[in-house]
Amino acid sequence: MKQLATEAIILKRINFGEADRILTVLTRDSGQVSMLAKGVRKSKSKLAGGLELFSISDINYIDGKSDLKTTISTRLKVHFKNIVSDIDKTMSGYDFMKSIDSFTQHSNEPEYFVLLLSGLESLDNVNLPISLVEVWFYLKILQHNGSGINLEKPLDSVNFSDDGSYNFSYDDMSFYSHKSGQFGPRHIKFLRLVERSERPNQLITVTGYDVLSSDLCQTIKQTVIMNKA
């Protein structure tokens, strides 16, 4: 059995036995890994401090023949305290981790770790509205998963009109013209900017970004839910 070290984000924790926990973590270098943290629920456990949710941790573990690895030491690197102090941010953070958990069960691509890290860092930023971070995060998941939204043209035309209105088809992952549609050309242009942005804070220079992201948030989030593995 060999000992390995990794940087990780905990996706979920399940109590096991009297004092243990089974952890699902997303690592920077090996994708999703299941680990057993023995005695972590005991008051004097040396592991507990480095296994907080909404945190980045250094974890040393034993990689044996079993799919369930054994945690031997931990160190907390970063804790996103602004997430845990705001119930709306907390719930959004849980949704981020649930989505990443679903998309990384059969993938070890490092892009998902970077995406989750950026999402949590942005969610922790008190100057960014939650809806903006969510639109950016969920659209990036769709891009990473190869199931991005069609922003080139609507279903029923060769291009988007400057004065058109549109609704969204979840089946086709595309917008379509509708005389009383809830989205307009500004929403489409905004989504194109989101696709090209590396971080959510790059979008705050867009006029009306807060309203646009609020309008789009539920649709983009629902699209990810319907495309989960």
Side-chain angles (χ1 to χ4, degrees):
M1 295 186 293
K2 58 182 178 179
Q3 181 176 326
L4 299 176
T6 190
E7 187 178 28
I9 301 171
I10 296 174
L11 298 178
K12 58 186 178 184
R13 307 181 299 187
I14 301 174
N15 289 342
F16 181 73
E18 294 184 359
D20 305 338
R21 276 199 179 111
I22 295 176
L23 312 172
T24 300
V25 305
L26 184 66
T27 69
R28 184 181 288 276
D29 48 11
S30 302
Q32 190 178 129
V33 178
S34 296
M35 297 183 180
L36 176 65
K38 294 182 178 179
V40 70
R41 288 155 55 207
K42 293 181 179 179
S43 59
K44 296 183 179 180
S45 171
K46 295 181 179 180
L47 295 176
L51 296 176
E52 295 292 334
L53 295 175
F54 306 117
S55 300
I56 311 299
S57 300
D58 286 329
I59 299 178
N60 291 295
Y61 65 98
I62 296 174
D63 184 17
K65 295 181 180 180
S66 170
D67 289 337
L68 186 63
K69 316 306 179 184
T70 301
T71 308
I72 55 177
S73 68
T74 65
R75 182 177 70 89
L76 189 69
K77 293 185 65 176
V78 180
H79 181 58
F80 300 114
K81 61 181 181 179
N82 292 326
I83 295 179
V84 297
S85 63
D86 182 307
I87 185 62
D88 293 327
K89 287 179 178 287
T90 300
M91 297 309 296
S92 183
Y94 276 123
D95 287 341
F96 282 12
M97 294 189 295
K98 288 178 183 177
S99 295
I100 291 291
D101 177 37
S102 174
F103 283 102
T104 58
Q105 288 180 11
H106 306 291
S107 171
N108 61 358
E109 297 177 10
E111 289 82 1
Y112 284 108
F113 180 92
V114 175
L115 174 58
L116 180 56
L117 176 57
S118 297
L120 293 177
E121 288 176 340
S122 300
L123 201 58
D124 194 61
N125 187 335
V126 296
N127 296 315
L128 296 178
I130 295 175
S131 60
L132 175 66
V133 180
E134 289 184 337
V135 168
W136 177 87
F137 180 80
Y138 290 121
L139 202 63
K140 291 298 181 181
I141 282 185
L142 292 172
Q143 284 183 282
H144 286 324
N145 190 51
S147 53
I149 292 173
N150 174 20
L151 298 174
E152 295 300 316
K153 62 179 183 178
L155 282 171
D156 48 358
S157 180
V158 295
N159 51 51
F160 287 101
S161 169
D162 289 338
D163 58 358
S165 60
Y166 305 93
N167 280 332
F168 185 73
S169 169
Y170 293 103
D171 291 334
D172 299 291
M173 296 289 284
S174 298
F175 291 90
Y176 61 94
S177 300
H178 193 284
K179 63 180 180 180
S180 57
Q182 63 181 121
F183 304 113
R186 290 186 64 217
H187 293 98
I188 308 301
K189 293 176 182 177
F190 182 68
L191 287 177
R192 289 171 179 166
L193 291 173
V194 175
E195 279 197 338
R196 295 197 296 267
S197 64
E198 295 183 358
R199 307 275 296 195
N201 61 351
Q202 295 174 336
L203 298 161
I204 61 176
T205 59
V206 179
T207 302
Y209 72 89
D210 50 346
V211 175
L212 293 168
S213 57
S214 180
D215 291 345
L216 289 159
C217 188
Q218 190 55 45
T219 296
I220 304 302
K221 185 175 181 179
Q222 184 61 35
T223 303
V224 170
I225 292 173
M226 295 178 68
N227 279 273
K228 279 184 179 180

